[in-house]
Amino acid sequence: MTDSNRPLRVAVVGAGPAGIYASDILSKADLSATGFDGVGIDLFERLPAPFGLVRYGVAPDHPRIKQIIVALQKVLGRGDIRLLTNVDFGTDVTLEDLRRHYDAVVFSTGAIKDAPLTIPGVDAPESFGAADFVSWYDGHPDYPREWPLDAASVAVLGAGNVALDVARVLAKHADDLLPTEIPANVYEGLKASKVTDVHVFARRGPAQVKFSPLELRELGHVPDVDVIVDPEDFEFDEGSEAAIAKSNQTRQVVKTLTDWTLKEGESTASRRIHLHFLHAPAEIVTGADGHVTGLRTERTRLVGDGTVEGTGDLHDWDVQAVYRAVGYFGSPLPGLPFDELAGVISNHEGRVVSPEGEPVDGVYVTGWIKRGPVGLIGHTKSDASETVKHLVADAARFSRASEPDPQAILDFLRDKGVDVLTWTDWEVLDAFERALGEPHGRERVKVVSREDMIKASRRVG
């Protein structure tokens, strides 16, 4: 095969939904005008298992969302996209290495860090990032196996679905999570938790929260957990009324919250989730020993357009731990321009651009590392389509890879001592996890350490 009619070679870094969608769309793209004969795609992942946020960012009691993995598995199971896991970009392979072996590189590494929150006390030992907590209860191999759950009363800061997930997992009895794929160490940790009350704080009003209706309604069906909403926290302005009129989703959320304010009688459950609106976090209060003793919030008020302003009215809440669910934030990658304010790789519609604003030849982004951590998993499809469209349009002008042979990258990684895993290895690990869950009537029991994942992937028979 001559270089003029060989396949376009593309590396996609990050095997979560964004990377898999981009690979799938690219595999079906019309390349007839590019000078390449088809496309060969290698999908890299630094963890031993694929699926990214779906495997490590979705609460274990949300199996309907995890069903997205079924669709992603069908894409990777076709065999036309080569999966290479346990390969860490920046350590095992660099951008220079990838550009030598591929004509184009697409980064889909997501956003896994907690967004910063700059209030006094945020560095206290009981001030936790929600992203870290989610990674713990989802068995992410990079996180410790234990989590401190000594607080009886906990605050969760945020008005999105991650805040609801954190609140629900904290309040839910561990035995009610047993039918899920929750790792054994997480079950034991939650079983010993002392929590009785979880307070969720939203800076704006009920019509401005980012809860999805289904996620919110689920709170009302958690066994032995009551949801409490204070009618005094309900306030609507012209912006709120407009939002309710415009969005059926907002109407459903407001109706659910309103119904909870009308509940009569005292709470009878052993655990409670309190939803507070129009409270902005002002300070995480600590004692002389530096440990969390409370949360101070400032009462806010709506100003007419759905935004809020502070009132100067401060409230102190008796909590012993605070979870910050104020959003995710992207991480810089070696050799790539990074927007420190937005937490994304600098780009224009998926084309990576230099600090001077010039496109970087053959380098692209998709997903949250492209546009920031907003939108649901399904939104990454349109995101990937835009990026792939530009990649295909640029392909005829690419500086062609000097080592385009598909075997060359495997030889390179092998010579570096990288233990590369493939789709076949994932299938073995998948079967192993399912076998662990079968005696207990569970779909799977997730293997949590990197070493055990690699070992399980290599099992025969």
Side-chain angles (χ1 to χ4, degrees), residues 143-428:
Y143 287 77
R145 303 279 70 83
E146 296 181 355
W147 190 272
L149 291 162
D150 301 321
S153 187
V154 173
V156 179
L157 310 180
N161 286 340
V162 174
L164 292 185
D165 282 349
V166 169
R168 191 183 64 256
V169 170
L170 284 169
K172 201 167 190 174
H173 291 278
D175 286 350
D176 292 326
L177 289 166
L178 268 180
T180 73
E181 62 182 43
I182 183 173
N185 66 292
V186 176
Y187 168 76
E188 294 298 335
L190 293 173
K191 183 75 172 176
S193 171
K194 298 176 182 178
V195 70
T196 59
D197 291 86
V198 180
H199 297 264
V200 181
F201 293 92
R203 186 174 54 88
R204 296 196 287 172
Q208 287 79 41
V209 295
K210 300 301 182 183
F211 307 145
S212 66
L214 182 58
E215 292 260 1
L216 185 63
R217 288 195 296 267
E218 284 181 357
L219 286 190
H221 300 290
V222 181
D224 195 33
V225 176
D226 281 341
V227 180
I228 299 172
V229 182
D230 190 340
E232 292 185 4
D233 285 352
F234 265 54
E235 182 180 318
F236 301 93
D237 61 358
E238 291 182 8
S240 301
E241 299 295 346
I244 294 169
K246 181 180 179 181
S247 168
N248 181 55
Q249 177 166 306
T250 301
R251 284 196 297 276
Q252 292 182 59
V253 166
V254 170
K255 181 183 185 306
T256 298
L257 293 170
T258 303
D259 289 346
W260 283 335
T261 67
L262 301 176
K263 287 195 304 185
E264 297 182 355
E266 295 185 0
S267 171
T268 58
S270 67
R271 295 180 176 181
R272 292 157 293 278
I273 296 176
H274 309 259
L275 301 179
H276 305 279
F277 303 96
L278 300 170
H279 282 275
E283 179 182 357
I284 297 174
V285 183
T286 57
D289 58 0
H291 291 280
V292 172
T293 60
L295 174 72
R296 181 166 295 145
T297 64
E298 180 183 10
R299 190 69 158 168
T300 61
R301 60 171 165 246
L302 293 159
V303 297
D305 60 358
T307 61
V308 295
E309 64 182 7
T311 65
D313 183 14
L314 300 177
H315 293 249
D316 284 354
W317 307 86
D318 183 16
V319 300
Q320 302 84 49
V322 177
Y323 288 77
R324 310 180 310 274
V326 295
Y328 288 88
F329 202 75
S331 301
L333 297 174
L336 290 162
F338 190 71
D339 185 333
E340 297 285 353
L341 292 178
V344 298
I345 294 174
S346 302
N347 74 95
H348 177 66
E349 295 183 348
R351 290 183 174 108
V352 172
V353 295
S354 69
E356 295 73 34
E358 296 298 321
V360 178
D361 181 46
V363 184
Y364 302 84
V365 285
T366 190
W368 280 3
I369 200 62
K370 168 188 174 183
R371 58 184 165 86
V374 292
L376 302 176
I377 291 174
H379 294 159
T380 57
K381 287 187 177 180
S382 58
D383 209 32
S385 294
E386 179 183 64
T387 295
V388 170
K389 177 183 176 181
H390 288 316
L391 188 158
V392 172
D394 298 342
R397 302 190 302 272
F398 285 160
S399 300
R400 298 200 171 203
S402 58
E403 298 181 30
D405 183 353
Q407 183 60 36
I409 187 67
L410 297 180
D411 293 341
F412 170 80
L413 293 169
R414 182 197 61 207
D415 291 344
K416 290 192 67 174
V418 181
D419 190 6
V420 181
L421 302 176
T422 66
W423 175 250
T424 300
D425 297 316
W426 157 250
E427 289 182 311
V428 174

